[in-house]
Amino acid sequence: MHKALTYILWAARLIAAIIMLQTLYFKFLAQPESVYIFSTLGIEPWGRIGSGIVELIASVLILMPRTSWIGAGLGLGVMAGAILSHLTVLGISVQGDGGYLFFLAIAVAVSCSTILLLTRKQWLPVLAQAIQSVFGKKIAHTNT
């Protein structure tokens, strides 16, 4: 991997992990903003605690080069749920935050997507093998 791509990959890892880790304070300590969000979604407290646990696991995996693609997949999944919740139930601005939480979810989603793009040589063969074992068909993949 080119040196510039290595820097971009590490920047994406740090952005995603730092944002997800800093939100754990609000989720695990039941801060009013977090309780409001998950109550509005009808999944308080288990949704708040569960998403916090998944974000913690994703953050740790993202920071380890061999497993960053797994963490990025988890993080992207959680952020897809957060973005969808903002667009359908919560609104872009939550309790007058001016869209700050929505922007953070977008930043993590973009960072996780970048990680997945740059680590595709690690996870594409795993995906191809999984598809082959489920469907019994050989999937050709390229190393590009």
Side-chain angles (χ1 to χ4, degrees):
M1 184 178 296
H2 291 69
K3 197 171 191 175
L5 291 179
T6 301
Y7 288 135
I8 292 168
L9 179 57
W10 271 106
R13 286 176 178 151
L14 290 173
I15 290 167
I18 289 169
I19 291 172
M20 286 192 288
L21 289 170
Q22 69 90 21
T23 65
L24 298 180
Y25 167 81
F26 298 94
K27 289 180 176 146
F28 290 152
L29 296 180
Q31 294 298 305
E33 303 89 349
S34 192
V35 171
Y36 170 80
I37 289 168
F38 288 94
S39 293
T40 302
L41 296 173
I43 54 173
E44 171 63 28
W46 300 111
R48 174 176 49 80
I49 295 167
S51 68
I53 291 169
V54 173
E55 288 179 25
L56 175 60
I57 293 167
S59 297
V60 170
L61 291 172
I62 282 172
L63 292 172
M64 295 187 290
R66 285 188 172 199
T67 60
S68 64
W69 62 273
I70 299 168
L74 284 173
L76 185 58
V78 174
M79 291 309 117
I83 292 165
L84 188 61
S85 295
H86 276 280
L87 294 175
T88 60
V89 179
L90 298 169
I92 302 296
S93 180
V94 177
Q95 290 188 319
D97 75 349
Y100 181 68
L101 292 175
F102 180 74
F103 169 76
L104 291 178
I106 295 289
V108 172
V110 168
S111 295
C112 288
S113 297
T114 300
I115 295 165
L116 288 171
L117 177 68
L118 295 177
T119 61
R120 65 190 178 276
K121 288 183 181 178
Q122 291 177 331
W123 61 265
L124 277 175
V126 175
L127 179 62
Q129 182 66 36
I131 291 171
Q132 181 180 347
S133 68
V134 170
F135 296 107
K137 294 182 180 179
K138 186 128 178 123
I139 306 293
H141 67 276
T142 61
N143 288 331
T144 57

